[in-house]
Amino acid sequence: MPRRARVIVPEMPHHIVQRGHNRKAVFVEAADYRYYLANLRRFKLEFGVKVYSFCLMTNHVHLVVEPGDDVSTVSQLMKQLAARQTRWVNKAEGRSGSLWEGRFKISPIQRDQYLLQCCRYVERNPVAANMVLRVEQYPWSSYRARAGLIQLPWLDFEQTYLALGSSKLEREERYRRFVDAEAGVGETELIRDALARNQLTGNSAFIDEIELRMGIRIEHRGRGRPAK
């Protein structure tokens, strides 16, 4: 049975996950994480892709990105990141072969209702995995930059984040409180399921909008708003 084509929408945020081959570790040393982030910074600028949120876990990567008019830039970005990290790790470990699973998972996100929720989901991954007690303790995610704890000049800030407050300090404080408030089970399941099936993270109106815009039928796991 042929694989279902992934849906990538111009000028729309997307949640992406790429996993290590057989779920093996792709990041071991601090230098591994730094190298990936340096390449993310380089190629997001080269391909004109906005990066709103990220989290580098031991054996997989979460990104929330937005392409411009040319959706092929998303695949180009992921291809370059995967290839460079593979060469880096293979050289360091004196090995050869694949580092990543063949295809990354991707889910277009409904901007107003779901984008902040997806960023929270991404940045709380280390807490959910019991790697740290608090989200700010994990150094390899975008949380500390979005919460105002460090500077990361190349990170982009979406309109839903900017609408959290009229000043930088107000936005950072409200974002910290938002992330500290754990998502409901329904919200988490919705985000996971949409990503696992390469489908849309959004409500029925959003799904209808994208089907009309793309001229395709998109089967999905259910419709509704995220749990409060």
Side-chain angles (χ1 to χ4, degrees):
M1 182 178 177
R3 293 181 295 192
R4 185 183 300 276
R6 292 178 294 200
V7 178
I8 306 178
V9 186
E11 298 179 334
M12 185 76 65
H14 295 71
H15 181 190
I16 295 174
V17 167
Q18 187 159 37
R19 299 189 181 277
H21 184 63
N22 290 331
R23 307 216 171 189
K24 293 182 179 178
V26 293
F27 303 104
V28 178
E29 306 289 342
D32 300 335
Y33 295 91
R34 294 192 187 103
Y35 185 74
Y36 189 96
L37 291 178
N39 284 311
L40 179 59
R41 177 182 181 178
R42 171 186 173 181
F43 289 112
K44 60 106 33 186
L45 294 172
E46 182 171 322
F47 295 127
V49 175
K50 295 177 181 177
V51 176
Y52 296 136
S53 183
F54 64 82
C55 187
L56 311 187
M57 300 291 281
T58 305
N59 63 3
H60 66 282
V61 172
H62 285 266
L63 302 174
V64 177
V65 306
E66 181 176 329
D69 291 334
D70 182 4
V71 297
S72 71
T73 56
V74 172
S75 294
Q76 293 174 48
L77 172 71
M78 298 308 296
K79 180 179 179 180
Q80 288 291 343
L81 291 173
R84 284 180 172 263
Q85 200 71 20
T86 297
R87 289 196 293 271
W88 169 271
V89 171
N90 284 352
K91 181 178 179 180
E93 297 184 357
R95 48 160 281 180
S96 62
S98 175
L99 182 66
W100 305 93
E101 286 184 350
R103 282 165 62 90
F104 58 86
K105 298 286 189 179
I106 187 166
S107 172
I109 306 166
Q110 186 173 9
R111 191 183 303 274
D112 294 338
Q113 285 88 343
Y114 289 84
L115 183 50
L116 280 179
Q117 285 87 342
C118 282
C119 292
R120 173 168 62 185
Y121 173 85
V122 165
E123 292 166 356
R124 285 191 62 88
N125 255 250
V127 176
N130 296 315
M131 298 172 71
V132 293
L133 292 176
R134 295 190 55 81
V135 65
E136 65 267 21
Q137 295 173 326
Y138 194 72
W140 310 115
S141 86
S142 52
Y143 172 77
R144 295 193 295 175
R146 290 167 65 85
L149 304 177
I150 63 169
Q151 297 295 314
L152 204 60
W154 56 267
L155 191 68
D156 298 294
F157 293 91
E158 73 282 5
Q159 189 57 45
T160 50
Y161 174 90
L162 298 176
L164 290 174
S166 57
S167 70
K168 182 174 182 291
L169 289 177
E170 185 179 17
R171 289 190 291 270
E172 291 166 352
E173 172 60 26
R174 289 185 175 178
Y175 188 71
R176 288 195 293 269
R177 293 203 303 265
F178 173 76
V179 175
D180 283 343
E182 295 185 38
V185 174
E187 177 184 310
T188 299
E189 289 180 350
L190 186 148
I191 292 171
R192 284 178 180 165
D193 194 37
L195 185 66
R197 299 172 65 182
N198 289 314
Q199 294 181 351
L200 306 182
T201 304
N203 62 24
S204 58
F206 176 67
I207 293 168
D208 292 341
E209 173 194 344
I210 298 304
E211 286 183 339
L212 181 62
R213 182 174 171 182
M214 304 294 289
I216 58 176
R217 175 68 177 166
I218 301 171
E219 296 181 7
H220 51 88
R221 70 277 172 271
R223 305 184 178 192
R225 296 178 64 87
K228 298 293 185 182

